[in-house]
């Protein structure tokens, strides 16, 4: 297990180098001169522009820029934004908020997704099951921004149950955004859990469990539930990465000062270093989440052993 | 109440005891989109305490459905529609869910069919047996743990302490089935329903397990309802036999009587086609020898260079698979096939016999060049097949064709039958569209399938029909050698009989050579001219079929022969 884990962690190095290089190249290739854009309507002062270029290494060839950036990463220097703020400050400001938001969304998915999915699976074909299936399809079909605006308007403005925006990133104000963020994945978790339960209910070993004289409750909890949760756990783990990086739309709707907003702004300003720094961290989160899923997989399923 | 009953000691069965289980006019159906489909129709069956009764029938005959309806474990769409099931005089079909759960395990135990899928892969074996003890109030906590080990030891598993802590995937099929027997008998039920308890196991393991089950149940005085498709096995293990066909029990009575003097036409067919030790090489053998003679004659005229008539030769074949070692350990080699040599004569059948894991399928794959041998050679028509590539390899593929075990898995479900059979012709660029159509029509005729089959898909065909298609596909290229890897193992006995006859007739007609891989010696006797017995990758015996069967040289071969169920029971003299 230890060997497997360390091998997986070491695998992160080439993955990180690859992704950062790719993203750096994409930002570099974006049309327009970011320095020129900084002058806005005013005429460009070439001296000042050159000075800015030198400061941000923008006068160097692409590969040198990239290597300088990577060198900075190793000493914990993420560079500075065009407004003179160190990128590390931006990161420490926005990441906690997004982690909070994503965790809340993940908890929603786990709690509601699994409970509703299990009930629907056990009551296969009954009214509850059909209703849930239909509703989950509706949620999957509605784009996040529609869900977000409707939620904001109805519960935040008309009914006033929740704050309409979440600038302060408090627990209460993040409830609505977290629910919207969880929305589509929640529907998937419900469907996945339900299918998995239905499949396991007809498994041979479940029939054998009944034949042993076990009560229906015990059959469900001991022999159906645990077996059914394995694919769900896999999905949830992979989804954590999506929740972290995919909050751009939701964060914008509810004015959450999180990773998504920061990334969006940085892309608009063509701030290579900021974009790549944030994405690098997201990649790390994604890889770690996947590693966690794989390890959890081995805990849930004794047939899987990592050497 | 059942909790007390199972603790009572059993007394020998008196002559005039009340029946333990009495099924009368039972009707069971499955709800489908096309309405109710009957599975059991008016079945009657009586089991007395301590008695062993077998239900015999082919797949789809309703025997498992009948068994499951006794403990109300039918699939969700199954319903008991009529009749009654009396267990100890009480109507089981009217039991509440709770009452039924109380009867299950404690009064009626179940040993299910497929040991691989009937234990929960996520829980330790010991825990799953302990559950049975707890659910039926036999023992709790520490006492239950001790009892689990006793039960495992009783079921014939050595190192019960360690075994109880292992997971199902660490067990072999035989060990799993022993655990399931331990589970079924854990609460000392009065009736044990054994649903094909050994069908998934090797013949020698099957023999051991059935012996063990026999002695355990007679020791404990447990009545057994044995469900099986194997007539020989049923006759050997049960005093009383019921033959099921299309949901009805068509014949029942004393086992030997039924075997020796079957009344119902279906039973007659079943007895007739049951492969057993008594059966001989199928007819048309002389026909084949004539062809062989003719061929030999013509070959003598044509060329004298090729004196030997071996179409496929294996020389010292060895296949080793590396097993990855643990941390810091070097990988070791596992020899799946170890120095195997044989020569398949043109126009004959050579059988490769062994238990699962003996390496026989690996040999087949090397003969087909689907696997590369680690050392040794395979010669086709005197030519080493290893260096063949491109066009030459395609040429070999054309001459050596496989038929595999599972007709459900080896046909592409998205391909129509026409496309399935046409694919090899197209790959090898044989004929134009019209010629291919004619060829496919001929092939279907050869395997006795209607020409209209071409537009159908595999899922619309039965297992036997699919295997016919697989044979037609294999024959499409007019091969010289056909490698049959357990080609009839998945089929019911009647269908098996048909396919064996078909293979045999085709051999006579085209002078085909078969490499016939099977674990079933009774089948081998019907089709093979020569037999190779494999064990743990090594060839232990090689001789003509009659020699192997009448005068086996090795103990292992003798074990295999003795394990054939019903091998020693004289059947009715069939024509």
């Amino acid at each position: 297990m230890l060997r497997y884990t360390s091998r997986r962690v070491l695998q992160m190095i080439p993955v990180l180098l690859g992704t950062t290089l790719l993203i750096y190249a994409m930002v570099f290739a974006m049309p327009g001169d970011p320095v020129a854009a900084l002058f806005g309507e005013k005429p460009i002062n070439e001296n000042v522009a050159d000075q800015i270029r030198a400061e941000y290494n923008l006068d160097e060839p692409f590969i040198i820029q990239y290597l300088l950036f990577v060198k900075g990463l190793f000493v914990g220097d993420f560079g500075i934004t065009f407004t003179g703020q160190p990128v590390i400050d931006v990161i420490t400001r926005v990441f906690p908020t997004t982690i909070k938001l994503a965790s809340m969304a993940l908890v929603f998915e786990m709690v509601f997704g699994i409970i509703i999915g299990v009930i629907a699976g056990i009551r296969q074909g009954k009214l509850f099951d059909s209703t849930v299936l239909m509703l989950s399809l509706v949620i999957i079909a509605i784009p996040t921004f529609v869900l977000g605006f409707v939620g904001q308007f109805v519960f935040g403005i008309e009914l006033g149950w929740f704050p309409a925006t979440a600038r302060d990133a408090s627990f209460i104000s993040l409830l609505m955004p977290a629910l919207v963020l969880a929305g589509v994945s929640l529907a998937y978790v419900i469907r996945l859990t339900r299918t998995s339960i239905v499949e396991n209910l007809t498994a041979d070993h479940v029939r054998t469990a009944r034949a042993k004289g076990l009560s229906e409750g015990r059959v469900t909890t001991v022999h159906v539930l645990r077996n059914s949760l394995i694919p769900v756990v896999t999905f949830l783990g992979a989804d954590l990465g999506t929740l972290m990086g995919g909050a751009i739309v939701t964060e914008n709707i509810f004015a959450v000062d999180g990773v998504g907003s920061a990334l969006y702004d940085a892309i608009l300003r063509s701030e290579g270093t900021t974009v790549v720094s944030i994405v690098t961290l997201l990649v790390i989160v994604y890889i770690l989440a996947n590693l966690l899923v794989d390890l959890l997989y081995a805990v849930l399923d004794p047939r899987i052993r990592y050497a | 109440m059942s909790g007390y009953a199972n603790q009572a000691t059993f007394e020998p069965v008196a002559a005039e005891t009340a029946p333990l289980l009495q099924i009368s006019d039972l009707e069971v159906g499955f709800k489908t989109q096309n309405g109710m489909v009957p599975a059991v129709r008016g079945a009657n069956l009586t089991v007395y305490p301590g008695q062993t009764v077998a239900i015999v029938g082919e797949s789809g005959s309703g025997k498992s459905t009948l068994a499951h309806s006794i403990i109300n474990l039918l699939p969700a769409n199954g319903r008991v529609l009529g009749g009654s099931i009396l267990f100890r005089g009480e109507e089981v079909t009217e039991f509440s869910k709770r009452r039924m759960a109380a009867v299950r395990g404690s009064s009626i135990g179940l040993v299910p069919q497929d040991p691989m899928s009937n234990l929960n892969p996520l829980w330790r074996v010991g825990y799953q047996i302990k559950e049975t003890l707890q659910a039926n109030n036999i023992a709790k906590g520490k006492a239950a743990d001790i009892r689990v080990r006793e039960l495992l030891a009783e079921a014939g598993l050595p190192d019960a302490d360690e075994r109880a802590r292992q997971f199902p995937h660490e067990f072999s099929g035989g060990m799993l089935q022993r655990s399931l027997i331990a589970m079924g008998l854990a609460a000392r039920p009065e009736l044990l329903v054994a649903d094909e308890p050994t069908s998934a196991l090797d013949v020698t393991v099957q023999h051991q397990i059935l012996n063990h089950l026999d002695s355990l149940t007679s020791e404990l005085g447990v009545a057994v309802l044995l469900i099986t498709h194997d007539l020989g096995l049923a006759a050997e293990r049960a005093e009383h036999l019921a033959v099921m066909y299309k949901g009805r029990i068509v014949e029942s009575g004393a086992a030997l009587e039924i075997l020796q003097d079957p009344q119902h036409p279906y039973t007659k067919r079943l007895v007739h086609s049951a492969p057993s030790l008594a059966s001989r090489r199928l007819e048309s053998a002389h026909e084949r020898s004539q062809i062989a003679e003719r061929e030999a004659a013509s070959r003598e005229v044509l060329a004298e260079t090729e004196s030997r008539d071996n179409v496929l030769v294996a020389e010292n074949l060895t296949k080793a698979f590396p097993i990855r070692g643990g941390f810091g350990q070097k990988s070791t080699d596992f020899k799946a096939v170890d120095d195997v040599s044989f020569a398949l004569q043109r126009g004959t059948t050579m059988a490769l016999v062994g238990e699962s894991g003996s390496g026989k399928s690996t040999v087949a794959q090397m003969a087909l060049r689907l696997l590369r041998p680690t050392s040794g050679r395979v010669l086709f028509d005197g030519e080493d097949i290893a260096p063949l590539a491109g066009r030459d390899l395609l040429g070999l593929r054309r001459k050596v064709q496989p038929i595999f075990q599972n007709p459900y898995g080896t046909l592409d479900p998205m391909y129509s039958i026409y496309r399935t059979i046409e694919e090899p012709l197209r790959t090898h660029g044989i004929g134009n569209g019209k010629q291919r159509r004619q060829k496919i029509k001929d092939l279907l005729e050869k395997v006795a399938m209607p020409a209209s089959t071409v537009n159908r898909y595999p899922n619309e065909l039965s297992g036997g029909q699919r295997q016919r298609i697989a044979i037609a596909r294999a024959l499409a290229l007019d091969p010289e050698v056909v490698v049959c890897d357990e080609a009839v193992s998945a089929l019911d006995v009647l269908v098996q009989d048909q396919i064996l006859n078909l293979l045999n007739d085709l051999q006579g007609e085209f002078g085909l050579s078969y490499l016939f891989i099977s674990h079933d010696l009774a089948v081998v006797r019907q089709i093979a001219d020569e037999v190779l017995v494999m064990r743990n990758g090594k060839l232990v015996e090689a001789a003509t079929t009659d020699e192997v069967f009448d005068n086996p040289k090795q103990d292992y071969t003798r074990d295999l022969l003795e394990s054939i169920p019903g091998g020693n029971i004289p059947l009715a003299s069939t024509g």
Side-chain angles (χ1 to χ4, degrees):
Chain A
M1 191 76 114
L2 189 71
R3 187 161 171 243
Y4 174 80
T5 313
S6 48
R7 200 172 69 220
R8 283 287 298 266
V9 172
L10 284 180
Q11 274 173 5
M12 284 169 67
I13 296 170
V15 172
L16 276 178
L17 285 178
T19 44
T20 47
L21 180 65
L22 215 63
I23 291 155
Y24 213 96
M26 279 156 72
V27 174
F28 189 84
M30 277 200 298
D33 179 358
V35 179
L38 286 177
F39 289 91
E41 302 286 301
K42 294 175 199 156
I44 296 163
N45 182 331
E46 280 304 326
N47 285 335
V48 179
D50 285 343
Q51 203 186 330
I52 296 173
R53 287 198 182 94
E55 196 180 331
Y56 291 95
N57 302 321
L58 293 177
D59 49 352
E60 304 284 351
F62 164 70
I63 198 73
I64 302 292
Q65 281 189 41
Y66 174 70
L67 289 177
L68 283 169
F69 167 76
V70 173
K71 188 184 130 205
L73 275 190
F74 275 104
V75 294
D77 175 16
F78 288 87
I80 43 177
T81 67
F82 286 150
T83 49
Q85 199 183 10
V87 174
I88 190 76
D89 284 0
V90 177
I91 288 171
T92 47
R93 191 187 79 233
V94 297
F95 260 84
T97 309
T98 295
I99 288 173
K100 199 167 163 187
L101 180 65
S103 316
M104 283 167 70
L106 196 70
V107 170
F108 278 135
E109 280 181 33
M110 274 196 295
V111 176
F112 294 120
I114 292 174
I115 291 178
I116 296 174
V118 167
I119 297 174
I122 291 170
R123 302 200 183 159
Q124 189 202 352
K126 305 268 169 63
L127 183 67
F128 183 85
D129 182 32
S130 335
T131 314
V132 164
L133 273 188
M134 209 183 64
L135 280 180
S136 63
L137 200 63
V138 169
I139 292 176
I140 290 172
I142 298 177
T144 308
F145 67 87
V146 174
L147 208 63
F149 280 128
V150 170
Q152 188 181 39
F153 181 73
V154 174
F155 297 104
I157 296 169
E158 290 294 310
L159 296 171
W161 290 358
F162 301 102
T165 60
R167 195 82 210 167
D168 61 348
S170 68
F171 178 75
I172 297 292
S173 64
L174 282 178
L175 273 178
M176 199 61 218
L179 203 58
V180 170
L181 184 60
V184 173
S185 296
L186 178 67
Y188 276 120
V189 172
I190 291 174
R191 297 194 138 222
L192 193 63
T193 311
R194 179 209 174 257
T195 314
S196 193
I197 291 266
V198 168
E199 206 179 280
N200 271 295
L201 273 173
T202 56
D204 282 351
H205 66 80
V206 171
R207 189 183 58 208
T208 306
R210 289 211 180 92
K212 291 195 291 194
L214 303 190
S215 66
E216 201 53 34
R218 198 174 160 86
V219 170
T220 310
T221 48
V222 176
H223 291 284
V224 177
L225 202 56
R226 185 172 168 197
N227 299 52
S228 306
L229 284 186
I230 292 174
V232 180
V233 166
T234 317
F235 177 82
L236 285 175
D239 203 43
L240 180 63
T242 319
L243 289 177
M244 290 286 296
I248 298 180
V249 174
T250 316
E251 287 184 358
N252 268 313
I253 294 172
F254 292 95
V256 179
D257 186 22
V259 173
S261 312
L263 195 59
Y264 180 71
D265 293 343
I267 291 170
L268 281 188
R269 284 200 300 268
S270 296
E271 268 179 27
T273 48
T274 317
V275 173
V276 181
S277 301
I278 292 177
V279 171
T280 307
L281 280 173
L282 286 179
V283 169
I284 293 176
V285 169
Y286 207 85
I287 295 175
L288 286 180
N290 273 303
L291 176 62
L292 196 72
V293 168
D294 285 346
L295 294 179
L296 205 60
Y297 214 72
V299 174
L300 281 173
D301 191 341
R303 283 168 296 184
I304 294 166
R305 284 284 172 267
Y306 299 117
Chain B
M1 48 141 279
S2 47
Y4 292 103
N6 59 61
Q7 280 160 17
T9 47
F10 287 95
E11 280 161 6
V13 187
E16 296 297 320
T17 30
L20 182 65
L21 179 75
Q22 191 162 26
I23 298 174
S24 27
D25 305 319
L26 185 69
E27 304 269 347
V28 184
F30 289 103
K31 217 161 110 184
T32 67
Q33 284 163 333
N34 309 321
M36 258 328 188
V37 175
V40 176
R41 304 193 249 188
N44 292 293
L45 188 78
T46 309
V47 181
Y48 287 94
Q51 195 186 27
T52 299
V53 174
I55 304 179
V56 186
E58 57 190 20
S59 49
S61 63
K63 55 189 195 303
S64 285
T65 307
L66 176 67
H68 288 147
S69 59
I70 298 169
I71 37 177
N72 193 15
L73 283 181
L74 291 171
N77 60 341
R79 297 266 179 292
V80 172
L81 301 171
S84 86
I85 303 172
L86 293 176
F87 180 70
R88 290 189 309 222
E90 291 174 284
E91 184 58 52
V92 172
T93 51
E94 285 164 9
F95 278 6
S96 66
K97 273 190 177 177
R98 186 179 290 268
R99 184 83 194 280
M100 197 68 239
V103 170
R104 287 183 200 138
S106 63
S107 303
I108 307 179
L110 174 77
V111 178
Q113 181 161 9
D114 179 6
M116 308 297 175
S117 66
N118 272 293
L119 283 162
N120 189 333
L122 307 187
W123 297 102
R124 291 171 204 279
V125 173
Y127 177 82
Q128 297 189 50
I129 298 175
K130 191 175 162 186
E131 265 187 333
T132 318
L133 297 173
Q134 287 170 336
N136 297 301
N137 301 316
I138 308 289
K140 288 217 179 324
K142 273 253 154 58
D145 286 330
I146 294 167
R147 188 80 191 110
V148 165
R149 275 169 232 149
E150 286 169 9
L151 283 165
L152 280 173
E154 179 189 277
L157 280 172
D159 316 320
D161 273 5
E162 198 186 324
R163 292 293 173 212
R165 278 196 301 272
Q166 285 184 319
F167 287 98
H169 70 273
E170 297 171 90
F171 276 33
S172 69
M175 286 157 70
L176 287 173
Q177 197 55 280
R178 283 175 192 277
S179 325
L180 284 164
I181 289 173
M183 211 176 268
L185 291 172
R188 299 292 182 242
E190 289 159 73
L191 175 68
L192 188 70
V193 178
D195 184 9
E196 301 262 15
T198 56
S199 303
L201 304 174
D202 275 326
V203 63
T204 47
V205 183
Q206 178 177 336
H207 192 64
Q208 288 166 15
I209 291 201
L210 286 173
N211 281 345
H212 199 85
L213 189 64
D214 263 3
S215 61
L216 264 182
T217 49
S218 56
E219 212 173 281
L220 299 168
V222 180
V224 179
L225 185 62
L226 180 69
I227 318 288
T228 178
H229 67 278
D230 191 330
L231 192 63
L233 187 147
E236 193 176 74
R237 303 289 167 179
E239 302 110 59
H240 194 92
L241 219 108
V243 179
M244 246 185 129
Y245 179 59
K246 294 194 171 164
R248 292 178 209 281
I249 291 185
V250 293
E251 191 162 357
S252 70
L256 266 180
E257 255 170 54
I258 289 191
L259 226 57
Q260 287 170 349
D261 186 22
Q263 298 299 317
H264 192 272
Y266 174 74
T267 321
K268 280 183 185 162
R269 269 166 65 207
L270 207 59
V271 171
H272 179 75
S273 50
S276 79
L277 272 187
S279 45
R280 289 272 156 183
R281 182 73 162 84
L282 290 169
E283 296 281 309
S284 93
H286 73 283
E287 208 177 306
R288 286 178 313 116
S289 67
Q290 278 178 344
I291 286 175
E293 265 172 43
R294 239 183 293 139
E295 268 195 2
S298 61
R299 200 167 297 120
E300 262 173 51
V301 176
L302 279 171
E304 290 181 322
T305 43
E306 198 190 10
S307 55
R308 293 204 306 168
D309 202 16
N310 291 333
V311 62
L312 192 74
V313 177
E315 286 178 355
N316 308 99
L317 269 187
T318 300
K319 179 74 196 178
F321 293 104
I323 301 173
R324 237 165 86 176
F327 186 72
Q329 285 171 307
K330 274 186 88 178
S331 67
T332 45
D333 276 356
F334 167 70
K335 277 191 180 171
V337 175
D338 192 358
D339 196 21
V340 168
S341 303
F342 61 86
L344 172 61
Q345 277 192 348
R346 195 179 299 278
T348 66
T349 301
M350 174 168 274
L352 205 52
V353 177
E355 298 179 32
S356 49
S358 61
K360 53 191 195 308
S361 282
T362 312
V363 170
Q365 295 209 24
M366 286 191 282
L368 287 162
R369 230 200 88 166
L370 296 174
L371 262 184
R372 298 255 185 188
T374 309
S375 66
R377 303 192 298 168
V378 177
L379 307 173
F380 180 80
D381 264 343
E383 195 186 344
D384 190 356
I385 65 169
L388 296 182
R391 186 174 290 272
D392 293 335
L393 183 60
L394 211 58
L396 173 79
R397 297 256 181 265
R398 189 171 163 175
K399 288 178 199 150
V400 184
Q401 282 286 309
I403 302 171
F404 292 110
Q405 172 167 12
N406 185 351
Y408 295 87
T410 50
L411 297 179
D412 190 329
M414 307 301 280
Y415 273 34
S416 70
I417 300 307
Y418 183 84
R419 222 178 135 194
T420 300
I421 306 177
E422 193 206 15
E423 195 183 24
L425 294 171
R426 194 199 295 265
T427 309
H428 292 264
I430 294 166
N432 55 31
K434 203 173 155 196
Q435 287 166 324
R436 281 184 208 151
R437 202 159 299 137
Q438 184 57 40
K439 175 98 192 171
I440 290 166
K441 209 174 138 222
D442 291 347
L443 283 165
L444 285 174
E445 201 174 300
K446 291 233 167 58
V447 297
M449 292 287 288
S452 59
T453 320
V454 289
N455 294 322
R456 303 179 73 181
Y457 284 83
N459 66 339
E460 300 167 19
L461 303 177
S462 72
Q465 287 175 321
R466 283 181 222 198
Q467 201 60 304
R468 282 170 194 273
I469 299 301
I471 293 172
R473 190 199 48 75
L475 294 181
L477 294 168
D478 300 317
E480 293 172 32
V481 175
V482 178
V483 177
C484 309
D485 191 356
E486 300 274 14
V488 296
S489 307
L491 305 174
D492 279 323
V493 58
L494 289 178
V495 184
Q496 185 174 321
D497 191 50
Q498 289 166 8
I499 298 285
L500 283 176
N501 275 303
L502 173 65
L503 284 173
N504 203 48
D505 292 345
L506 291 169
Q507 183 169 48
E509 200 176 336
F510 301 109
L512 294 172
S513 315
Y514 293 138
L515 183 61
F516 194 89
I517 319 272
S518 180
H519 69 278
D520 190 340
L521 278 164
V523 165
V524 164
R525 170 144 237 193
Q526 287 183 297
I527 188 108
D529 299 294
E530 279 180 83
V531 177
L532 308 171
V533 182
M534 278 187 79
R535 186 188 195 185
N536 298 337
K538 289 197 175 65
L539 214 54
V540 293
E541 184 152 2
T544 65
T545 308
D546 286 342
E547 261 176 55
V548 167
F549 279 80
D550 298 335
N551 186 20
K553 301 255 179 329
Q554 299 288 323
D555 288 344
Y556 179 67
T557 314
R558 228 164 283 142
D559 280 354
L560 278 179
L561 287 173
E562 275 166 18
S563 305
I564 299 178
N568 306 316
I569 297 174
L571 291 180
S573 53
T574 44

